[in-house]
Amino acid sequence: MSIQIERIPLSVQLGTEELRALEGLLESSGRVTLIVPDFGVRDACRRALADAGCGVGVDVTTPDGWIQSLWELMGDGGRIVSGAQRRLLVTRSLLCNREEGGIRGEGVASARSVRGEGAASAGGAQSEVPASAEQATEDFCTPGMIKMIARAARLYLPYIERRADSATCSASERRIVRALERYARSLQDLGLIEGSSAAAVLSEGLAGRLPACVGAVVLRGVHELPEYLLELIGAVASGGMVRIVLELEAAAEAEALAQRFGVAAHGVAALAQMSAGDASHPGIPLRFAEVCGPSAREAAYGLIVSAAAREAGSAA
């Protein structure tokens, strides 16, 4: 498994050493995928690569965009669900629970009447049980619950489908699993798929064939690494090269990733000079300032910058 885990000073812009490393990967593999956490960093990295003359051959994207592009290349033709579609379908799956709860309540009432509990008792049950079931479902279908189940579907749907054991779940957990199962059926009916499920399918497919576009992958400053993304990274590393670059401060995260993939996280000492900007004066301390009041901001920041410039000049 070819995975490198490194910790270096990072900023929004690509540093000189980072650009040099990307150029080396580009020469050896012909194409590099650079994965960054968000669109702002993506645009800044694209600009830095264009200014350095190596914009062609380096695809800068986000984790979701990477999975989307791979799915378009190797998927079954289904579309990855969007955030708005996910929320709508999750809400519908919870509302379907209300209808099922009402049907179950009516079934209980009918069973009681068949057993001969009396017309009055049966009538009371018929009016009482569906109301309580509907009330419980209304309490269950809240904005917070919709958000929670949508997040669970986005991150864990393929694993819930594989490993959910209703025998060991509580009543509330079983309702969540049923809602996710209805959500999964809705996706299938509409020709949609979750990004996590697409990544799970891709992980299995990449084990047999590795396209050229994933021969060299660099993850830069990506801290949200859910299980489906880690599985996809492992599948790519089985036949290609993956480099995970984290901030100097992310020692615990680097160690956890190193244990996950069975590799060593490369030390900071040899990489400490790899700055995301100009590293010619690594000894100058950083300054942090927060000025209260909009009218004082410009003058205060001007004084702070002037003082830092004078200190840098004297140090040089």
Side-chain angles (χ1 to χ4, degrees), residues 225-266:
L225 294 170
E227 181 63 24
Y228 67 85
L229 188 57
L230 291 174
E231 287 185 354
L232 186 57
I233 291 169
V236 171
S238 63
M241 199 286 293
V242 176
R243 182 171 175 240
I244 302 175
V245 182
L246 300 171
E247 291 87 349
L248 286 174
E249 297 80 10
E253 186 176 351
E255 185 62 29
L257 288 171
Q259 292 179 1
R260 165 63 188 260
F261 293 113
V263 298
H266 292 287

Side-chain angles (χ1 to χ4, degrees), residues 160-314:
I160 291 173
E161 291 176 330
R162 293 180 205 166
R163 303 172 186 172
D165 185 3
S166 59
T168 60
C169 295
S170 65
S172 296
E173 290 169 341
R174 283 194 295 271
R175 294 173 74 181
I176 292 174
V177 171
R178 284 197 300 269
L180 287 169
E181 289 173 348
R182 282 191 296 272
Y183 171 74
R185 289 195 297 269
S186 298
L187 290 178
Q188 187 174 4
D189 294 340
L190 295 171
L192 299 172
I193 188 171
E194 268 293 344
S196 54
S197 299
V201 175
L202 289 169
S203 298
E204 297 176 359
L206 290 174
R209 55 192 178 107
L210 198 67
C213 61
V214 292
V217 177
V218 179
L219 286 90
R220 181 182 187 270
V222 179
H223 294 282
E224 186 178 353
L225 294 170
E227 181 63 24
Y228 67 85
L229 188 57
L230 291 174
E231 287 185 354
L232 186 57
I233 291 169
V236 171
S238 63
M241 199 286 293
V242 176
R243 182 171 175 240
I244 302 175
V245 182
L246 300 171
E247 291 87 349
L248 286 174
E249 297 80 10
E253 186 176 351
E255 185 62 29
L257 288 171
Q259 292 179 1
R260 165 63 188 260
F261 293 113
V263 298
H266 292 287
V268 180
L271 301 167
Q273 300 299 321
M274 295 173 62
S275 167
D278 182 9
S280 58
H281 302 290
I284 298 177
L286 294 175
R287 290 177 177 269
F288 297 91
E290 183 176 357
V291 181
C292 298
S295 59
R297 233 169 245 154
E298 292 184 3
Y301 287 154
L303 292 173
I304 293 170
V305 171
S306 298
R310 286 194 300 271
E311 183 177 345
S314 61

Side-chain angles (χ1 to χ4, degrees), residues 66-213:
W66 183 46
I67 294 172
Q68 177 86 37
S69 62
L70 287 178
W71 185 250
E72 291 175 355
L73 178 66
M74 304 178 61
D76 58 4
R79 293 176 293 113
I80 293 182
V81 66
S82 66
Q85 289 171 327
R86 182 186 300 112
R87 289 189 296 271
L88 180 61
L89 292 175
V90 165
T91 303
R92 189 173 74 172
S93 69
L94 291 175
L95 292 176
C96 288
N97 195 24
R98 175 183 302 175
E99 297 175 2
E100 291 183 5
I103 292 172
R104 285 195 299 270
E106 292 174 1
V108 171
S110 300
R112 288 180 177 176
S113 63
V114 169
R115 287 197 301 266
E117 293 185 1
S121 174
Q126 287 175 346
S127 61
E128 178 181 353
V129 175
S132 61
E134 184 175 356
Q135 180 63 39
T137 305
E138 288 177 352
D139 294 340
F140 191 71
C141 185
T142 62
M145 183 61 67
I146 292 171
K147 184 177 180 180
M148 185 198 77
I149 294 182
R151 185 175 185 274
R154 180 176 68 87
L155 296 176
Y156 311 116
L157 185 61
Y159 312 106
I160 291 173
E161 291 176 330
R162 293 180 205 166
R163 303 172 186 172
D165 185 3
S166 59
T168 60
C169 295
S170 65
S172 296
E173 290 169 341
R174 283 194 295 271
R175 294 173 74 181
I176 292 174
V177 171
R178 284 197 300 269
L180 287 169
E181 289 173 348
R182 282 191 296 272
Y183 171 74
R185 289 195 297 269
S186 298
L187 290 178
Q188 187 174 4
D189 294 340
L190 295 171
L192 299 172
I193 188 171
E194 268 293 344
S196 54
S197 299
V201 175
L202 289 169
S203 298
E204 297 176 359
L206 290 174
R209 55 192 178 107
L210 198 67
C213 61

